């Protein structure tokens, strides 16, 4: 019978100080990448280097593991080897102002082009008014107007002369021109004088006036036509004058940007628009130009500005952008509006870029959880990736809430953009299952591990601690402090052979240790400072644990730590409350009786048991039937319950304890109450490892300590969990002094021997167990149940037989 407890050296794996070749972390170099993430780093490098569509990256890791820092470091390093992408700007589309034109420029040229256009407008604002204010223009414009006026005067004079020859006067009135007969002296006749004339003479004068009026009407109809001709000549003169002022400056820019056809086309449009709207360059008070009739806008020259939305003039590498708020407009850009006279107006100068514009040609890093929480942001990102272009449009139009849009900027193509999402593994798997488009856009998964191998990573881990301390401006760590942090890291990882790579937890521990070092007046963070930080954090969080243990100590929650009881055992569970995890003993009881082979899980029947726990209970009935009732009916009913359990029970780590307590009740063999047990069992009776082994052991130790250590108390754990042990020092010291024991078992029989003090017993060639063994007692009880069941059936048949014969 194996009942030897584990050696104290197996309960805790101290850090080998000889591996730490330094006195303080000041002697260590910084490390850029977190420890133990070779698989994830390889995946990220592959994802950022493969230049194929859809090979974007999803980095999987729980929050606080340092994945963002790692991704940013890798991407920034890779960005140094990629060219700086193009600048992008929006300019006015003179033929369709509602559809601004996007222009792509070499990196740094966007700002130059913007400056060139601003300088051009400044020059023309001076040159054009000067050209129209010149003597040559005034002289030519005066000639055209003089010719027009002289032509009208000449025609009117000729008509007046012809009228005078016919003794008729041409007069001008307020309402226009009029004719009146004249006497011999050329003076207009009065109506009395005209009436004294004979009829023939009156008729002749009236006929002459009528003819002259027709000629006047024809002449007045010609005046607007002549004036339009003059206006056209003036407009031609204006265009000619403006062209002379504009062409020189425009031609210089056209020559400068000769290799960029988009810019040339735009400059040609600018040239034509300036000539057509030359009046915008002349001040309102200017009176020299009679053709200026239209009211001027507030800033008519604004349409010649360049809206530079992407400027890489100061970049020496491809951009790396992290979008902290990846909502719809922050991703794809938006158009601002300005209130004007009770309405909202906008133009191409109010177009604002999004993160996709800023990262185009480089890398865009996004928190997957944040983008999924933003309405329509995830769909807009996928649509952009599918289309291969960034289209700025209001969300209302995307949702068909409006049918028109003030602006429809020309889409900007995506060029070698790599998107890196990071988030919990659960998000990745959910998206893979529920979003059929997800695998098309994110083909590379970078899976970050939460632990690293302790044996091979100790030195790198020490460098990591040194790096964190320097970056956070903390005190250096002493050699002993580094050793303590490494040991506690293994404890947080729940594995003596691993180190936790959760950077947030490590940084918090160092920060709090630095605080206690300051309180204690230490220049270096010492081992005692680290331990004080650990203890104080536990004290801040363990009020609930303290109250639960107090209830056990006071007898409110029943847990025995001495004696033996049949059908009763101490199981162990783990409770996690935020960042704090602790173990709690639970009393498990079982009752057995004659029945039909069913094990009743009271937790499941009351809907307090989870599916995994129910699975473990079903395995028990299979094991009992296969071991003890292979050749006979399984005439057993058993009931299991976690006593004083008022919450949900989940997991199969209590299945070993449940099997032992059922067999104890069946065989009526008492179990030791000074031992607690944890472990999962399979259908073959093999004990399987479980989680939270350190917390479970410590939980039962704390209860035993409160009730008084007897030297026989201890915990039974699966042998596979021994390599995970990183117990508290007080537990280890108790084991060293023989006051507390930890036993490791591989089979259910070994656990029963420890709990009962009896030999479990092995089956002989006929499958029978020794009668004095524990298994023999179980087998005998089951055979007795079978015999009783058979006897009941015979009696029932005998009672039924007379009735049948009477019938």
């Amino acid at each position: 019978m194996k009942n030897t407890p584990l050696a104290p050296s197996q309960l805790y794996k101290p850090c080998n100080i000889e591996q730490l070749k330094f006195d303080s972390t000041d002697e260590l170099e910084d490390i850029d990448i977190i420890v133990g993430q070779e698989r994830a780093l390889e995946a990220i490098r592959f994802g950022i280097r493969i230049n194929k569509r859809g090979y974007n990256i999803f980095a999987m890791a729980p929050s606080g593991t340092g994945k963002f820092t790692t991704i940013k470091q890798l991407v920034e390093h890779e960005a140094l080897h990629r060219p700086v992408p193009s600048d992008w700007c929006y300019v006015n589309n003179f033929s369709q102002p509602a559809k601004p034109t996007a222009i792509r420029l070499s990196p740094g040229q966007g700002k130059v082009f913007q400056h060139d256009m601003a300088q051009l407008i400044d020059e023309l604002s001076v040159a054009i008014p000067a050209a129209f204010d010149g003597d040559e223009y005034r002289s030519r414009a005066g000639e055209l107007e003089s010719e027009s006026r002289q032509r009208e005067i000449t025609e009117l004079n000729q008509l007046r002369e012809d009228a005078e020859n016919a003794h008729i006067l041409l007069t001008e009135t307020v309402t226009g021109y009029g004719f009146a007969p004249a006497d011999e002296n050329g003076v207009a006749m009065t109506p009395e004088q005209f009436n004294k004339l004979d009829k023939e003479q009156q008729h002749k004068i009236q006929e002459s006036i009528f003819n002259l009026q027709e000629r006047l009407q024809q002449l007045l109809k010609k005046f607007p036509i002549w004036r339009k001709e003059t206006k056209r000549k003036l407009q031609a003169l204006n265009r000619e004058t403006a062209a002379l002022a504009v062409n020189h400056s425009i031609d210089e820019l056209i020559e400068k940007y000769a290799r960029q056809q988009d810019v040339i086309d735009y400059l040609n449009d600018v040239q034509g628009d300036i000539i057509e709207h030359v009046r915008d360059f002349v001040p309102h008070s200017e009176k020299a130009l009679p053709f200026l009739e239209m009211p001027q806008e507030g800033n008519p020259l604004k349409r010649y500005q360049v809206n530079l939305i992407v400027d890489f003039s100061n970049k020496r590498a491809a951009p790396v952008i992290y979008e902290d708020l990846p909502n719809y407009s922050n991703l794809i850009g938006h158009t601002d509006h300005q209130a004007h006279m009770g309405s909202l107006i906008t133009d191409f100068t109010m177009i604002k870029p999004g993160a996709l514009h800023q990262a185009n040609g480089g890398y865009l890093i996004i928190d997957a959880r944040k983008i999924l929480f933003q309405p329509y942001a995830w769909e807009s990102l996928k649509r952009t990736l599918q289309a291969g272009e960034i289209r700025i449009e209001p969300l209302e139009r995307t949702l068909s809430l409006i049918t028109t849009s003030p602006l429809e900027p020309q889409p900007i193509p995506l060029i070698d953009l790599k998107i890196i999402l990071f988030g919990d593994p659960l998000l990745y798997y959910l998206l893979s299952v529920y979003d059929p488009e997800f695998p098309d856009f994110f083909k590379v998964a970078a899976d970050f591990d939460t632990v690293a191998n302790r044996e091979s990573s100790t030195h790198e881990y020490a460098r990591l601690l040194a790096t964190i301390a320097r970056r956070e401006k903390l005190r250096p760590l002493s050699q002993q402090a580094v050793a303590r942090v490494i040991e506690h890291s293994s404890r947080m990882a729940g594995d003596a052979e691993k180190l936790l790579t959760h950077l947030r937890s490590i940084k918090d521990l160092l920060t709090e240790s630095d605080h206690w070092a300051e309180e204690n007046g230490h220049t270096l963070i010492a081992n005692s400072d680290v331990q004080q930080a650990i203890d104080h954090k536990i004290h801040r969080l363990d009020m609930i644990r303290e109250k639960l243990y107090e209830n056990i100590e006071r007898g409110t929650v029943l847990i025995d730590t001495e004696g033996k009881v049949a059908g009763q055992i101490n199981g162990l569970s783990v409770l996690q409350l935020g960042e704090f995890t602790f173990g709690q003993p639970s009393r498990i009881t079982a009752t057995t009786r004659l029945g039909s082979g069913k094990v009743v899980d009271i937790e499941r029947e009351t809907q307090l048991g989870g599916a995994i726990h129910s699975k473990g209970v079903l395995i028990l009935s299979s094991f009992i039937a296969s071991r003890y009732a292979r050749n006979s009916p399984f005439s057993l009913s058993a009931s299991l319950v976690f006593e004083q359990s008022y919450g949900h029970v989940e997991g199969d780590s209590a299945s070993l304890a449940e099997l032992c307590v059922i067999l104890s009740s069946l065989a009526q063999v008492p179990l030791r109450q000074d031992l607690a047990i944890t472990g999962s069992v399979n259908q073959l009776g093999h004990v399987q490892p479980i989680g939270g082994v350190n917390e479970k052991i410590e939980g039962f130790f704390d209860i035993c300590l409160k009730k008084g250590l007897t030297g026989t108390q201890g915990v039974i754990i699966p042998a596979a969990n021994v390599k995970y042990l990183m117990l508290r020092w007080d537990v280890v010291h108790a084991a060293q002094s023989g006051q507390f024991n930890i036993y490791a078992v591989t089979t259910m029989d070994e656990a029963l021997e420890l709990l009962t003090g009896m030999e479990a017993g092995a089956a002989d060639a006929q499958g029978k167990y020794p009668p004095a063994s524990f298994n023999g007692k179980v087998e005998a009880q089951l055979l007795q149940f079978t015999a009783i069941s058979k006897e009941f059936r015979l009696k029932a048949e005998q009672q039924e037989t007379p009735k049948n014969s009477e019938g």
Side-chain angles (χ1 to χ4, degrees):
M1 183 169 62
K2 179 183 176 183
N3 57 5
T4 305
L6 295 175
S9 60
Q10 295 176 279
L11 307 182
Y12 189 87
K13 184 178 180 180
C15 179
N16 187 358
I17 296 294
E18 295 179 358
Q19 293 181 343
L20 306 178
K21 309 291 185 180
F22 56 86
D23 293 326
S24 79
T25 54
D26 261 351
E27 303 170 24
L28 301 177
E29 297 178 352
D30 284 352
I31 188 170
D32 292 331
I33 305 299
I34 59 177
V35 176
Q37 302 294 352
E38 289 76 14
R39 183 194 305 272
L41 300 183
E42 182 181 349
I44 293 174
R45 290 191 185 100
F46 169 77
I48 61 181
R49 290 176 182 173
I50 184 170
N51 189 20
K52 295 294 181 182
R53 187 173 181 180
Y55 280 85
N56 297 299
I57 303 168
F58 193 108
M60 296 184 286
S63 176
T65 53
K67 57 186 177 298
F68 172 72
T69 304
T70 304
I71 292 167
K72 198 166 185 292
Q73 288 178 353
L74 278 175
V75 169
E76 287 176 345
H77 181 268
E78 191 68 24
L80 296 174
H81 305 289
R82 289 187 60 181
V84 181
S86 304
D87 290 348
W88 285 94
C89 62
Y90 274 107
V91 295
N92 189 22
N93 184 340
F94 298 103
S95 60
Q96 293 180 292
K99 297 183 178 181
T101 303
I103 295 181
R104 179 181 180 182
L105 296 158
S106 301
Q109 269 199 319
K111 183 172 286 187
V112 175
F113 179 54
Q114 186 183 46
H115 178 265
D116 287 344
M117 285 303 300
Q119 190 173 22
L120 171 67
I121 301 306
D122 287 342
E123 291 176 359
L124 295 180
S125 297
V126 175
I128 291 176
F132 283 99
D133 199 36
D135 293 338
E136 182 180 355
Y137 172 79
R138 290 180 177 276
S139 174
R140 294 180 61 184
E143 289 178 0
L144 291 174
E145 292 183 351
S146 177
E147 289 177 0
S148 178
R149 286 194 299 270
Q150 187 60 44
R151 186 176 182 182
E152 293 179 10
I153 292 171
T154 301
E155 292 295 329
L156 281 173
N157 289 339
Q158 181 64 47
L159 181 62
R160 183 177 286 109
E161 184 179 344
D162 293 344
E164 289 176 353
N165 292 335
H167 299 286
I168 296 173
L169 297 177
L170 176 62
T171 60
E172 294 185 23
T173 65
V174 177
T175 58
Y177 294 95
F179 293 97
D183 57 15
E184 294 296 332
N185 298 322
V187 179
M189 293 182 179
T190 63
E192 291 79 7
Q193 291 176 322
F194 181 77
N195 291 329
K196 291 178 181 180
L197 298 176
D198 57 41
K199 298 295 183 181
E200 183 179 353
Q201 210 171 0
Q202 287 181 358
H203 179 73
K204 185 177 180 181
I205 291 173
Q206 288 174 344
E207 186 177 356
S208 298
I209 290 174
F210 179 78
N211 292 333
L212 288 171
Q213 285 177 337
E214 283 188 346
R215 287 181 58 187
L216 177 62
Q217 292 298 325
Q218 294 296 326
L219 187 60
L220 292 177
K221 289 180 180 179
K222 291 180 181 180
F223 284 177
I225 298 174
W226 294 346
R227 289 170 185 170
K228 287 182 180 179
E229 290 178 359
T230 302
K231 188 174 182 179
R232 283 195 292 269
K233 290 178 181 179
L234 282 171
Q235 289 174 341
L237 175 62
N238 295 335
R239 285 193 292 270
E240 179 184 349
T241 303
L244 290 173
V246 171
N247 288 352
H248 175 70
S249 299
I250 294 286
D251 289 344
E252 288 182 353
L253 289 183
I254 289 176
E255 183 178 355
K256 181 176 181 178
Y257 295 96
R259 295 185 178 180
Q260 294 177 263
Q261 189 58 45
D262 289 347
V263 178
I264 299 300
D265 294 340
Y266 172 68
L267 290 174
N268 289 331
D269 291 341
V270 169
Q271 184 176 21
D273 189 77
I274 289 175
I275 292 173
E276 289 297 324
H277 299 84
V278 67
R279 58 186 175 80
D280 292 336
F281 289 84
V282 180
H284 287 278
S285 59
E286 180 64 46
K287 301 299 184 181
L289 305 181
F291 60 91
L292 298 182
E293 300 173 359
M294 296 294 291
Q296 292 180 314
E297 302 173 11
N299 183 13
L301 305 186
K302 187 178 181 181
R303 64 177 177 272
Y304 304 116
Q305 292 180 5
V306 173
N307 182 7
L308 182 60
I309 64 169
V310 179
D311 176 21
F312 290 126
S313 57
N314 297 322
K315 291 286 185 180
R316 298 295 178 266
V320 178
I321 303 297
Y322 168 62
E323 180 52 58
D324 183 61
L325 182 60
N327 58 29
Y328 182 87
S329 61
N330 286 352
L331 278 179
I332 66 170
H334 63 281
T335 304
D336 285 343
H337 292 77
Q338 188 176 33
H340 179 70
M341 298 182 68
S343 62
L344 295 176
I345 61 172
T346 187
D347 57 48
F348 73 97
T349 64
M350 298 184 190
I351 298 174
K352 304 299 179 183
L356 289 168
H357 295 94
Q358 302 290 351
N360 200 8
Y363 306 91
L364 177 58
I365 305 172
I366 304 174
D367 187 328
R369 181 175 174 274
K370 290 182 178 179
I371 191 173
L372 289 171
F373 275 6
Q374 295 296 330
Y376 304 102
W378 175 245
E379 290 301 322
S380 69
L381 177 62
K382 290 192 299 178
R383 188 174 67 250
T384 300
L385 293 175
Q386 179 66 40
E389 61 183 20
I390 312 168
R391 184 180 296 275
I392 301 176
E393 57 184 1
L395 183 58
E396 295 85 355
R397 178 168 183 174
T398 303
L399 300 177
S400 299
L401 299 178
I402 59 174
T403 57
T404 60
S405 174
L407 286 183
E408 296 180 28
Q410 181 182 354
I412 291 179
L414 287 177
I415 303 172
D416 297 332
L417 172 65
K418 190 70 68 173
I419 296 178
I420 303 102
L421 290 180
F422 64 89
D424 290 338
L426 179 61
L427 285 179
Y428 174 82
Y429 297 124
L430 288 174
L431 287 170
S432 299
V433 172
Y434 292 108
D435 189 342
E437 296 176 326
F438 177 71
D440 295 333
F441 302 123
F442 293 90
K443 296 181 181 294
V444 181
D447 200 352
F448 281 75
D449 200 349
T450 56
V451 295
N453 188 280
R454 177 172 170 177
E455 191 65 30
S456 60
S457 304
T458 300
H459 181 68
E460 287 77 9
Y461 205 80
R463 288 180 60 195
L464 176 64
L465 299 180
T467 303
I468 294 173
R470 274 191 282 270
R471 289 181 180 176
E472 298 298 321
K473 296 181 172 50
L474 307 176
R475 289 169 176 77
L477 284 79
S478 68
Q479 182 189 58
Q480 295 290 338
V482 170
R484 183 67 190 99
V485 172
I486 289 175
E487 292 167 0
H488 186 64
S489 177
S490 292
R491 169 58 188 258
M492 289 191 292
D495 192 334
E497 299 176 357
K498 302 292 183 181
L499 292 172
L500 187 71
T501 57
H502 194 266
L503 291 187
R504 185 172 61 198
S505 299
I506 300 168
K507 187 181 76 172
D508 291 346
L509 176 60
L510 296 189
T511 301
E512 294 173 24
S513 300
D514 179 76
H515 166 76
W516 292 115
E518 182 179 3
E519 290 286 320
N520 298 326
H522 297 161
T523 56
L524 298 177
I525 297 176
N527 179 13
S528 59
D529 300 322
V530 177
Q531 187 60 47
Q532 192 171 0
I534 295 170
D535 294 340
H536 196 271
K537 183 172 183 178
I538 292 174
H539 179 68
R540 296 196 304 266
L541 298 172
D542 74 341
M543 186 179 70
I544 294 179
R545 180 183 69 169
E546 184 178 315
K547 291 187 178 297
L548 287 174
Y549 288 179
E550 181 183 351
N551 286 335
I552 294 174
E553 183 183 10
R554 297 173 65 185
T556 305
V557 176
L558 302 178
I559 297 290
D560 291 336
T561 57
E562 296 182 66
K564 290 185 176 183
V565 180
Q568 178 178 300
I569 197 169
N570 291 323
L572 296 171
S573 58
V574 170
L575 288 133
Q576 182 169 2
L577 302 172
E579 298 180 18
F580 185 55
T581 304
F582 63 93
Q584 180 187 12
S586 299
R587 173 177 289 182
I588 303 173
T589 60
T591 58
T592 53
R593 57 203 172 276
L594 178 65
S596 57
K598 181 179 179 181
V599 177
V600 177
D601 178 11
I602 295 178
E603 307 295 336
R604 182 182 61 184
E605 297 296 325
T606 58
Q607 298 183 352
L608 290 177
I612 298 176
H613 178 261
S614 298
K615 174 187 174 184
V617 174
L618 292 174
I619 288 174
L620 304 185
S621 58
S622 299
F623 169 78
I624 296 171
S626 64
R627 170 174 277 203
Y628 302 108
R630 296 187 65 181
N631 301 317
S632 61
F634 186 34
S635 305
L636 168 71
S637 287
S639 297
L640 271 172
V641 70
F642 278 72
E643 301 289 356
Q644 294 183 284
S645 169
Y646 307 106
H648 197 71
V649 176
E650 181 58 302
D652 64 348
S653 64
S655 59
L656 177 60
E658 291 169 336
L659 177 58
C660 291
V661 76
I662 289 174
L663 296 179
S664 168
S665 173
L666 185 60
Q668 284 300 297
V669 175
L671 301 178
R672 291 174 57 183
Q673 300 301 297
D674 56 357
L675 292 178
I677 186 170
T678 183
S680 169
V681 67
N682 62 21
Q683 291 191 111
L684 304 177
H686 299 154
V687 178
Q688 302 168 140
I690 43 80
V693 64
N694 292 297
E695 290 81 3
K696 290 177 178 179
I697 293 173
E698 292 165 358
F700 190 66
F701 171 80
D702 289 339
I703 298 304
C704 293
L705 184 64
K706 287 181 178 295
K707 292 194 170 188
L709 294 175
T710 63
T712 63
Q713 295 150 332
V715 175
I716 301 172
I717 65 171
N721 278 114
V722 173
K723 58 180 174 291
Y724 297 101
L725 293 178
M726 286 294 292
L727 293 170
R728 289 195 323 244
W729 289 346
D730 56 342
V731 182
V732 177
H733 293 158
Q736 288 176 337
S737 61
Q739 293 181 301
F740 197 76
N741 306 289
I742 292 92
Y743 302 93
V745 297
T746 56
T747 65
M748 181 272 300
D749 289 331
E750 293 177 7
L752 284 171
E753 289 177 350
L754 284 167
L755 289 165
T756 62
M758 296 176 59
E759 290 287 344
D764 58 17
Q766 287 76 35
K768 300 295 183 181
Y769 292 96
S773 68
F774 183 87
N775 286 327
K777 290 182 176 296
V778 172
E779 184 180 46
Q781 183 63 59
L782 286 174
L783 289 174
Q784 184 180 357
F785 280 164
T786 301
I788 295 173
S789 177
K790 184 177 181 181
E791 183 180 345
F792 272 115
R793 282 200 306 271
L794 289 173
K795 288 181 178 179
E797 290 175 0
Q798 290 173 359
Q799 292 175 356
E800 288 291 329
T801 300
K803 294 179 182 180
N804 292 335
S805 60
E806 289 174 3

